[in-house]
Amino acid sequence: MNRRLALWVLFLTCIVLLTPPRARAAGEAFKAGVARKAITPTGPVWMSGYAARTHASEGVIHDLWAKALALEDPSGRRVVIVTTDLIGLPREVSAEVAARARKQYGLERSQVLLCSSHTHAGPVVWPNLKTMYDLLTPAERESLQQYARRLVGDLVSVVGAAVADLAPAQVSMGHGSVGFAMNRRQAVAKGYAIGSNPKGPVDHDVPVVKVAAPDGKLRAVLFGYACHNTTLGGDEYRINGDYAGFAQIELEKAMPGVTAMFTILCGADQNPSPRGKMEMAAEHGKALADEVRRVLAGSLCPVRPPVRTAYEDVSLEFAPQPRSKFEEEAKSKDRFRRHRAEAMLAALDAGHPVRDVLLPVQVVRLGNDLTLVALGGEVVVDYALRLKREFAGTHLIVIGYANDVMCYIPSQRVLREGGYEGGDAMIYYGLPGPFTDAVEETVVGACRRLLERTCGMH
Ligand SMILES: [Zn+2]
């Protein structure tokens, strides 16, 4: 059977298996619960995302939030989606939140989806990107560790509050589009640099999920965009959520009582254009919020039960690097390269060379109407474009930066072209170098496996 035919068979089987006759006939639907908690650092703290910053934050533009949406189908099966105005949640934080959510609320790992906005104007979430923050005093490091500990508690409590808030709800979805994301991989004399590539691939889709009370009153809206949340540069020292923060504030101001939740999609090789100033972040946020409101005002597709979830950690292997590479790099004038080399040599000496990373892959399928594929890491746009094309019948939203942000996840094209997203960024993540050529097929294969598993056939 060729692949296209196989996908059609899979798709049709899903339709049959996932459409409960009772739910369709009686309008039996989800329960939904919504909760939020401010996670703004209480004092000066080192900010994440730019290696160039030299000191802690100075003031706050607006609050950062953790927000949760719990959904329960008529059989009692639940999923809780959490969004955060943060650079990303490291595995250490996600695993602890998931373990406590299991203990306190009976949620399996696959039933908790932890997303982020990837703002570069928020706090460091320890130990994410810790190789980048070597100028910290012991007190500054302790305050980051304290922030991460408090964050775990806040995320667990927001999950619990969303579950406690479960009440009958209607879920529906639609799509819009905004154009401020631009491909940033600019061809230069020697490969690719971070710049502007107006002809490079982009994904301007703005998926919008609406959650309303049975009387139609809007309770929450979940939306996303495939673009680095980096309108502001490393010279910004005031805590804020960048364009995604402004978009959520704009929506909540326009629709009082509604919780607006943003997650970044596969925007690792995309930057906002233009960028560099606070008013630009506000303008991008306004453009995104306006588009979400336009979609909400239009006709949306109903999203029906059941809830099906799956989660897997997938090993992505690094191309082997000789010890001599790190011995050479240990003499580098670049302190980040030096730190990476020292870490790799220490791992070699200990007999545990770093050979792979674990990529969290999660699928949340809501009936036959909406499927979230959530990948960890900084995922380039090629993945969203490919997955949406190959699984066109499953109404996909492809989320990046979910559950862990351990490095960039290049496609085969980006891996071969090289540059920052292709392998250079591994320096800042303290990892040995580029992935092997198998990376894209491994990731797509895992997505296919989880999509099949949530199809109801297993
Ligand atoms: Zn990034």
Side-chain angles (χ1 to χ4, degrees):
M1 213 166 18
N2 69 33
R3 188 199 271 171
R4 181 166 290 229
L5 181 60
L7 286 173
W8 268 109
V9 170
L10 175 64
F11 172 47
L12 293 173
T13 314
C14 281
I15 288 183
V16 173
L17 291 174
L18 285 178
T19 310
R22 271 186 313 130
R24 290 176 70 200
E28 196 177 2
F30 292 108
K31 284 183 179 169
V34 184
R36 63 192 295 150
K37 195 162 195 355
I39 51 169
T40 321
T42 49
V45 64
W46 274 70
M47 298 163 76
S48 192
Y50 293 112
R53 286 202 181 101
T54 53
H55 59 85
S57 61
E58 294 169 334
V60 175
I61 295 285
H62 53 230
D63 272 328
L64 307 181
W65 293 92
K67 299 170 182 171
L69 168 64
L71 292 173
E72 183 185 280
D73 71 15
S75 76
R77 179 85 185 163
R78 291 171 178 172
V79 64
V80 183
I81 301 163
V82 179
T83 60
T84 55
D85 293 311
L86 292 170
I87 188 92
L89 298 169
R91 177 176 292 271
E92 290 83 349
V93 168
S94 296
E96 180 65 20
V97 171
R100 285 167 59 178
R102 181 191 299 259
K103 202 166 157 206
Q104 294 182 33
Y105 315 117
L107 295 164
E108 297 295 320
R109 181 64 192 88
S110 71
Q111 293 174 280
V112 181
L113 167 55
L114 300 166
C115 304
S116 56
S117 76
H118 202 48
T119 177
H120 283 42
V124 171
V125 186
W126 197 261
N128 177 247
L129 279 169
K130 70 178 173 191
T131 9
M132 228 193 243
Y133 307 104
D134 56 339
L135 302 178
L136 304 178
T137 64
E140 287 171 333
R141 178 183 289 233
E142 172 52 30
S143 89
L144 289 177
Q145 287 167 340
Q146 240 173 40
Y147 179 82
R149 281 196 293 273
R150 201 186 78 197
L151 179 66
V152 168
D154 287 346
L155 295 177
V156 173
S157 78
V158 85
V159 166
V163 169
D165 186 53
L166 282 167
Q170 297 169 347
V171 182
S172 53
M173 84 152 311
H175 291 269
S177 177
V178 288
F180 65 79
M182 185 186 281
N183 193 291
R184 71 183 198 182
R185 289 174 52 78
Q186 188 175 334
V188 291
K190 282 188 188 169
Y192 286 82
I194 293 185
S196 297
N197 177 8
K199 291 191 178 144
V202 294
D203 179 7
H204 286 161
D205 184 23
V206 179
V208 176
V209 180
K210 175 183 170 182
V211 179
D215 64 2
K217 190 171 179 292
L218 186 60
R219 293 176 64 199
V221 57
L222 170 68
F223 63 107
Y225 193 49
C227 183
H228 249 86
N229 200 5
T230 50
T231 317
L232 302 165
D235 55 347
E236 179 58 62
Y237 281 89
R238 293 167 295 175
I239 295 281
N240 71 87
D242 207 290
Y243 78 75
F246 282 104
Q248 293 169 85
I249 288 166
E250 192 74 29
L251 285 165
E252 290 173 355
K253 203 170 64 186
M255 304 180 294
V258 170
T259 297
M261 302 171 66
F262 173 89
T263 179
I264 188 169
L265 308 176
C266 299
D269 51 347
Q270 315 285 313
N271 265 343
S273 174
R275 59 193 292 252
K277 293 200 168 81
M278 191 64 77
E279 54 266 32
M280 293 169 182
E283 276 162 25
H284 295 323
K286 172 94 168 51
L288 189 50
D290 287 350
E291 183 62 356
V292 170
R293 290 184 70 200
R294 192 189 66 76
V295 173
L296 287 172
S299 85
L300 301 177
C301 298
V303 176
R304 290 155 293 202
V307 172
R308 289 185 198 279
T309 59
Y311 177 102
E312 213 178 271
D313 282 314
V314 181
S315 161
L316 299 179
E317 289 185 6
F318 295 109
Q321 303 289 339
R323 184 186 176 95
S324 58
K325 170 185 156 170
F326 300 118
E327 283 168 344
E328 197 52 41
E329 193 176 71
K331 299 176 209 153
S332 169
K333 288 201 179 85
D334 177 338
R335 71 180 206 273
F336 300 114
R337 283 184 181 275
R338 249 183 359 253
H339 296 325
R340 189 264 294 267
E342 286 156 9
M344 294 303 103
L345 290 171
L348 280 165
D349 289 342
H352 303 292
V354 180
R355 294 209 170 96
D356 69 342
V357 286
L358 288 180
L359 175 78
V361 180
Q362 188 169 6
V363 167
V364 174
R365 200 190 271 264
L366 302 179
N368 196 42
D369 303 312
L370 172 59
T371 305
L372 310 179
V373 169
L375 302 170
E378 305 207 35
V379 187
V380 300
V381 75
D382 292 354
Y383 283 98
L385 299 174
R386 176 175 172 184
L387 289 167
K388 286 197 278 188
R389 195 173 59 240
E390 288 191 14
F391 302 97
T394 51
H395 306 285
L396 279 195
I397 300 175
V398 189
I399 296 170
Y401 300 80
N403 298 306
D404 189 14
V405 182
M406 76 310 277
C407 62
Y408 276 79
I409 312 296
S411 60
Q412 184 148 16
R413 174 184 68 84
V414 171
L415 180 77
R416 285 188 177 165
E417 288 174 357
Y420 191 75
E421 300 88 354
D424 293 351
M426 293 292 184
I427 297 162
Y428 302 99
Y429 281 103
L431 293 167
F435 287 119
T436 69
D437 253 4
V439 61
E440 181 172 331
E441 290 314 314
T442 307
V443 174
V444 172
C447 294
R448 184 176 297 123
R449 206 157 53 238
L450 268 56
L451 284 167
E452 284 169 7
R453 200 182 302 160
T454 50
C455 191
M457 292 191 299
H458 296 268

